Amino acid sequence: MPESSPETHVIDFRAAEQLLAARDPRGAIRLLDSVIAAHPENTAARLLRARSFFLAAQLRPAELEFQIVLKREPDNAFAHFALGRTLERANRPEEALRHFRLAAALEPRPEFIEAARFARDTGNGEQVPDRPAGDPE
């Protein structure tokens, strides 16, 4: 196996972006594992890996990666939105709504605002999802 260098990590990161765009999240995860092992502080790589986990339907690892990103960047609206989608997909709508609302408050993009209102009141104090889960891209 060739020796890793900062250049190979950049190449792996860019290749992982391409794999994710081509809908190969598992391939992206494999490349990003070595990048993150060498640079655990790299938030961009963690965010890309979190998105890859989400698209590979690996919800728990996606949740953990989004949480790491948010510990480092609590004002990252996209990370809140994507974590909300992950929690929504894991059937945890109350937790998801909190992150959707934070995303919308931080950055009032139409999809963030729409997601922040995704739950409707049933009249007896319960909130139910208004629509199915979507892709955090």
Side-chain angles (χ1 to χ4, degrees):
M1 177 176 222
E3 191 173 315
S4 291
S5 70
E7 293 82 15
T8 59
H9 295 143
V10 170
I11 292 167
D12 285 348
F13 179 84
R14 296 294 178 214
E17 287 179 318
Q18 294 300 315
L19 286 170
L20 190 59
R23 295 293 199 210
D24 182 3
R26 293 180 194 283
I29 292 165
R30 280 191 298 277
L31 289 175
L32 291 165
D33 285 345
S34 65
V35 173
I36 291 171
H39 304 281
E41 74 290 348
N42 187 319
T43 303
R46 287 194 176 273
L47 189 56
L48 188 60
R49 187 164 73 169
R51 290 176 51 220
S52 299
F53 280 135
F54 179 87
L55 289 175
Q58 296 180 28
L59 300 181
R60 184 64 181 148
E63 178 184 352
L64 294 173
E65 286 292 343
F66 285 128
Q67 288 173 343
I68 290 170
V69 169
L70 288 169
K71 282 181 184 169
R72 295 175 183 176
E73 298 178 3
D75 61 344
N76 186 320
F78 177 79
H80 279 290
F81 174 74
L83 177 56
R85 285 284 186 244
T86 303
L87 294 167
E88 180 182 47
R89 200 167 166 191
N91 199 27
R92 293 160 56 193
E94 298 82 19
E95 293 172 79
L97 184 58
R98 176 179 175 271
H99 287 283
F100 288 145
R101 289 183 175 164
L102 284 166
L106 290 165
E107 190 176 326
R109 290 170 42 180
E111 63 270 27
F112 295 176
I113 292 169
E114 180 185 340
R117 298 183 184 140
F118 89 100
R120 59 184 165 78
D121 196 334
T122 61
N124 62 0
E126 292 181 332
Q127 290 187 334
V128 296
D130 207 20
R131 58 179 167 62
D135 185 344
E137 292 190 299

